Amino acid sequence: MANNAYDQMVNDFMAKIIAKNQGEVEFHQAVLEVAETLIPFIEENPKYKAAKILERIAEPERVILFRVAWVDDKGEVQINKGYRIEMNSAIGPYKGGLRFHPTVTLGMLKFLAFEQVLKNSLTTLPMGGGKGGSDFDPKGKSDNEVMRFCQSFMTELFRHIGPNTDVPAGDIGVGGREIGFLFGQYKRLRNEFTGVLTGKGREWGGSLIRPEATGYGEVYFAEEMLKTRGDSMKGKICTVSGSGNVAQYATQKATMLGAKVVTLSDSGGFIYDPDGIDADKLAFVMHLKNVKRGRITEYAEKYGVEYFPGLRPWGIKCDVALPSATQNEINEEEAKTLIANGCFVVSEGANMPSTPEAIAVYQDAEILYGLGKAANAGGVAVSGLEMSQNSLRLSWTREEVDGRLQVIMKDIHAACVKYGKRDDGSVDYIKGANIAGFVKVADAMLAQGVV
Ligand code: NDP
């Protein structure tokens, strides 16, 4: 079929999605990227077309929206919105993180839940897809305020989740502290100690390597992509955005593999350290961000390097870019600058960090582009391993979990190659990841009938 016939089908499909989900721009963006690669595939596989699988996976199985009322330290009542999107359970219980950030909307969480379905399928583990969160901002709140918020949030959420139903985890603004408060309240309400959340502390059901998993996986994926060109991470200059969970461990693993990470950022700006962020400097960042909850500008003050307020790090010369902060953080101009400066690998730790225009720039330049759905799947993969350990009431060693993570990232890469290899031998990772993720979910949905 001619390409323009596919374009027309994509346009018709998207017109319906936009009409049904008005104003949800991030959701439209995520669905469009998938539709562009899946519609030609579905045309070649009519069984999926007849059963309207694409239309069905773009509609959440269930959306839960609730009020979260809590009392701040001044005694004032605060009201936030709470959400859980239970997107698709064809291959396992809903699984996906909770995001606490003032910009959270229904559309943002639907984009994340939609991505999560295909990502979880790619991990090869039996996990459906979901996502949730709140417009609550943990920044500047006391530990007691965060605890009261989490308790109120869970007081509604607990009735909708469970180890065989829906297993939330962390995301932006939800780390070990928040998972602890949420788990404590779930346990109190249900009178059950079960693996209902992942990202738990080691002493109470958490898995070794879960904190590291997304950032490590992002770098393992970059290494796999580099291998296709007979290259490796060793000696590469890397720019990393963000300075939270994913950014910290991407920095650690890249450094362990012999690369030099020269930037980190937060919503205030970025730091540029041409000497590289070594293990000691990273320990400072981890204390700054995870304990002190301070700003990245303090790194510049401590180590006497440059700080660029209000900017993102993509103007700094690098070989490998590891976006690890948030969605749409690399635009077309920034993508062009990256490539003009010699960057030839982008491995996404964040979800959808590149705009569609930036992705077109990568594709034109034929760089190695690992989209988030594939490159950041290590986090949820180890969450899946945490669920397995909880069910077995066992705790695997660091080496065992890291070994399994590496195998999973290699398998995801191989699946992308299987479905995304072009005639000239290069790999279209977008096509590969979307089709590989889709096939497993679609076949399960076919087997389970029209539900
Ligand atoms: P954290 O909350 O630990 O860190 C987020 C980092 O990104 C912080 O440095 C934060 O800066 C920065 N950031 C957040 N929002 C913005 C924004 N709008 N503009 C600029 N900077 C911003 O989150 P994670 O590290 O867990 O998540 C980072 C990304 O990785 C997200 O896209 C998430 O969906 C994705 N991801 C995470 C997984 C996980 O296991 N945690 C799994 C798979 C994907 P500041 O503190 O100033 O807000």
Side-chain angles (χ1 to χ4, degrees):
M1 196 179 292
N3 277 350
N4 54 5
Y6 290 139
D7 290 347
Q8 190 56 48
M9 286 177 184
V10 171
N11 289 342
D12 292 348
F13 175 74
M14 286 311 300
K16 287 187 199 141
I17 291 287
I18 291 165
K20 274 187 164 194
N21 303 275
Q22 289 189 19
E24 298 176 357
V25 284
E26 296 99 341
F27 181 62
H28 305 162
Q29 185 182 336
V31 175
L32 174 61
E33 182 226 88
V34 168
E36 280 172 342
T37 48
L38 281 185
I39 283 180
F41 176 76
I42 289 170
E43 285 301 310
E44 288 162 19
N45 293 274
K47 60 182 177 179
Y48 301 132
K49 189 174 179 180
K52 297 209 172 156
I53 301 289
L54 185 59
E55 289 82 348
R56 278 155 67 192
I57 64 167
E59 193 64 47
E61 287 178 13
R62 189 177 298 112
V63 173
I64 300 148
L65 239 163
F66 51 99
R67 179 179 70 209
V68 188
W70 56 283
V71 180
D72 70 16
D73 286 348
K74 293 191 216 106
E76 205 176 308
V77 175
Q78 300 287 342
I79 297 109
N80 287 102
K81 285 182 183 294
Y83 306 86
R84 186 72 184 163
I85 318 294
E86 296 185 334
M87 197 77 192
N88 193 299
S89 61
I91 61 168
Y94 309 106
K95 178 91 199 91
L98 297 172
R99 177 174 292 192
F100 291 171
H101 196 272
T103 59
V104 162
T105 58
L106 180 63
M108 184 189 290
L109 295 176
K110 278 172 68 180
F111 120 62
L112 289 161
F114 181 75
E115 294 269 299
Q116 196 80 46
V117 173
L118 300 179
K119 182 191 309 188
N120 291 4
S121 165
L122 274 176
T123 66
T124 69
L125 301 173
M127 297 180 289
K131 200 84 190 186
S134 173
D135 59 355
F136 172 74
D137 187 359
K139 239 179 272 161
K141 304 287 188 303
S142 70
D143 286 351
N144 274 328
E145 287 177 321
V146 172
M147 180 177 74
R148 285 196 294 277
F149 172 80
C150 288
Q151 291 178 340
S152 181
F153 185 86
M154 186 53 86
T155 300
E156 174 57 33
L157 188 68
F158 89 100
R159 71 190 82 246
H160 307 288
I161 63 174
N164 297 312
T165 315
D166 184 353
V167 185
D171 190 74
I172 292 177
V174 179
R177 172 182 64 171
E178 290 75 17
I179 293 290
F181 294 148
L182 291 163
F183 184 77
Q185 184 71 351
Y186 180 88
K187 188 164 58 66
R188 179 155 71 163
L189 292 165
R190 281 263 193 235
N191 192 26
E192 265 179 20
F193 194 112
T194 55
V196 69
L197 290 157
T198 57
K200 301 186 289 299
R202 262 191 69 190
E203 305 76 12
W204 39 281
S207 174
L208 286 163
I209 302 287
R210 177 60 189 91
E212 292 89 338
T214 308
Y216 276 22
E218 175 186 10
V219 175
Y220 291 147
F221 198 83
E223 182 86 343
E224 287 303 307
M225 290 196 292
L226 280 158
K227 270 193 213 162
T228 65
R229 296 192 182 174
D231 206 343
S232 75
M233 286 292 286
K234 196 167 167 51
K236 299 289 178 292
I237 305 291
C238 303
T239 46
V240 174
S241 63
S243 48
N245 172 265
V246 179
Q248 291 169 16
Y249 288 104
T251 300
Q252 184 173 82
K253 183 51 75 178
T255 309
M256 286 163 78
L257 295 182
K260 184 158 85 173
V261 175
V262 294
T263 66
L264 283 173
S265 71
D266 60 21
S267 49
F270 80 92
I271 58 103
Y272 172 44
D273 185 344
D275 292 337
I277 298 159
D278 62 18
D280 287 345
K281 292 172 180 171
L282 182 60
F284 170 82
V285 173
M286 287 181 168
H287 184 76
L288 174 71
K289 287 291 172 182
N290 308 348
V291 182
K292 246 183 97 187
R293 299 185 190 275
R295 310 306 300 154
I296 201 66
T297 177
E298 294 174 48
Y299 181 104
E301 287 152 24
K302 172 140 176 98
Y303 294 108
V305 301
E306 271 188 282
Y307 173 66
F308 296 84
L311 291 179
R312 303 189 283 221
W314 315 123
I316 299 294
K317 188 172 166 49
C318 67
D319 306 302
V320 179
L322 300 169
S324 307
T326 192
Q327 64 276 358
N328 293 329
E329 56 165 320
I330 305 182
N331 62 27
E332 183 177 12
E333 278 315 302
E334 290 163 317
K336 284 183 179 160
T337 306
L338 277 172
I339 284 157
N341 282 338
C343 174
F344 68 103
V345 182
V346 176
S347 187
E348 296 182 338
N351 283 305
M352 210 166 74
S354 305
T355 64
E357 297 77 19
I359 295 172
V361 173
Y362 308 150
Q363 301 280 68
D364 280 351
E366 296 182 8
I367 65 164
L368 295 168
Y369 167 56
L371 69 169
K373 206 176 280 147
N376 73 32
V380 73
V382 174
S383 276
L385 300 179
E386 183 171 328
M387 289 164 70
S388 304
Q389 292 170 80
N390 291 163
S391 298
L392 294 165
R393 302 204 186 281
L394 280 177
S395 190
W396 295 330
T397 63
R398 224 184 137 75
E399 291 69 32
E400 165 117 39
V401 181
D402 194 25
R404 284 177 189 255
L405 170 63
Q406 288 181 52
V407 169
I408 289 171
M409 297 314 296
K410 279 193 171 95
D411 287 349
I412 293 173
H413 184 269
C416 291
V417 173
K418 178 176 172 191
Y419 288 102
K421 201 163 194 162
R422 300 189 185 95
D423 293 340
D424 65 1
S426 66
V427 184
D428 179 345
Y429 288 93
I430 304 180
K431 183 176 170 199
N434 285 337
I435 296 178
F438 174 78
V439 166
K440 189 168 150 194
V441 176
D443 287 344
M445 288 173 73
L446 283 181
Q448 292 167 21
V450 179
V451 289

